[in-house]
Amino acid sequence: DAKTTQPPSMDCAEGRAANLPCNHSTISGNEYVYWYRQIHSQGPQYIIHGLKNNETNEMASLIITEDRKSSTLILPHATLRDTAVYYCIVRVATLQGAQKLVFGQGTRLTINP
Amino acid sequence: SQTIHQWPATLVQPVGSPLSLECTVEGTSNPNLYWYRQAAGRGLQLLFYSVGIGQISSEVPQNLSASRPQDRQFILSSKKLLLSDSGFYLCAWAWTVDQPQHFGDGTRLSIL
C-alpha cells in the first residue's frame, strides 16, 4: 500500500492561499491521489482527486509533481470555515474491486483571523 | 443530488448490549457502500463494504456484522458490544469503485 506523509499542523491567515503538501513517494502508476478534510465531529468531506494532471474544482486546486511522488492541495482564499484536518490519501484497491481509503494522521490546518 | 443519512448521531450503550446502526443513501442506485470506524485521534479503518444487495465483504475480523437488505440501505450490527467497539462510525457511498467516496455525518458510539 502506498503511504503518504503530511506535516502534522499548519497555520494560514484568513484570505490567504493555504498550500498543504503531501509526499507519496511509493505511489503506483495507476493510483489516484485523493484529498479529504474532516471538521471536528463530522464525517470526512471529499475535496478533489487526481492521477497525473493538475486539477481544479470549486473548492481547491491539486498540483501533482511530474514524478507523482508529491502533491500540494491549494485552498486559494482560505476562510475560517476551512479550519479542519486535511487528509492526503492514495487509493488502495481491495481484492474485490471496491476501493479502500487509508487515512493517515493528516494535517491540522488552522485559519487565523 | 445525492444525500447520505446516518442515525443516530450519538449512542451510549452498555457492554453486552446489541447494536444496530443504519445508513441510507438517496439519489443514486446500486452504489458501493462502506462502513468505517475512527478511533479517537486515529485514522479511519474500513470495516465492511458492499457492491450490491446482499453482498458484504469484511476487511477485519471483529465483533460486528453488516447487512444490505435494500439497494440503498446499509446496516451495521452487533449481538453483544465490547468496550473496544467504542468509536466514531462512518458510512460512505460511491458511484463505482473509481469514484470518490462521500461520507455521512457519523455515529459516535460510547460503550459503558
Side-chain angles (χ1 to χ4, degrees):
Chain A
D1 298 352
K3 300 279 193 292
T4 61
T5 304
Q6 298 177 253
S9 64
M10 291 183 64
D11 285 87
C12 180
E14 187 178 17
R16 296 295 192 109
N19 298 291
L20 292 88
C22 179
N23 288 324
H24 31 79
S25 58
T26 60
I27 192 170
S28 299
N30 60 349
E31 289 181 317
Y32 284 77
V33 179
Y34 280 76
W35 282 84
Y36 284 78
R37 70 181 182 184
Q38 188 171 23
I39 298 170
H40 184 61
S41 298
Q42 296 182 19
Q45 178 188 23
Y46 165 76
I47 301 173
I48 199 167
H49 72 286
L51 183 63
K52 296 180 181 179
N53 299 323
N54 298 337
E55 302 288 344
T56 296
N57 62 21
E58 66 279 5
M59 291 183 66
S61 294
L62 174 60
I63 308 299
I64 302 175
T65 58
E66 193 169 341
D67 62 8
R68 301 208 328 120
K69 292 185 176 182
S70 65
S71 61
T72 301
L73 178 74
I74 301 173
L75 307 178
H77 304 286
T79 70
L80 297 178
R81 288 177 294 180
D82 292 323
T83 293
V85 178
Y86 287 76
Y87 296 99
C88 169
I89 301 154
V90 173
R91 188 185 71 183
V92 177
T94 63
L95 291 175
Q96 295 191 26
Q99 61 172 280
K100 176 171 69 174
L101 299 177
V102 180
F103 284 65
Q105 295 304 307
T107 296
R108 184 172 298 277
L109 175 67
T110 302
I111 306 301
N112 300 308
Chain B
S1 64
Q2 298 76 40
T3 56
I4 180 168
H5 302 281
Q6 281 188 252
W7 64 92
T10 59
L11 187 61
V12 180
Q13 292 283 96
V15 170
S17 64
L19 173 74
S20 180
L21 301 180
E22 188 164 344
C23 170
T24 59
V25 182
E26 297 177 358
T28 180
S29 61
N30 198 32
N32 286 359
L33 296 173
Y34 304 80
W35 277 112
Y36 287 85
R37 177 171 58 201
Q38 185 175 34
R42 303 184 65 180
L44 269 68
Q45 178 188 34
L46 178 64
L47 302 176
F48 301 95
Y49 63 92
S50 171
V51 298
I53 296 175
Q55 295 179 294
I56 306 294
S57 296
S58 174
E59 276 293 292
V60 293
Q62 59 211 324
N63 183 42
L64 302 168
S65 62
S67 62
R68 185 170 177 174
Q70 300 181 39
D71 181 41
R72 291 168 289 175
Q73 184 184 30
F74 206 21
I75 297 173
L76 184 69
S77 304
S78 174
K79 293 182 179 179
K80 295 180 69 174
L81 285 168
L82 307 172
L83 285 173
S84 57
D85 291 325
S86 292
F88 190 38
Y89 287 83
L90 289 153
C91 180
W93 74 272
W95 284 110
T96 67
V97 63
D98 294 325
Q99 295 299 310
Q101 293 178 27
H102 301 278
F103 289 80
D105 286 334
T107 295
R108 195 162 301 280
L109 175 65
S110 299
I111 309 300
L112 303 179

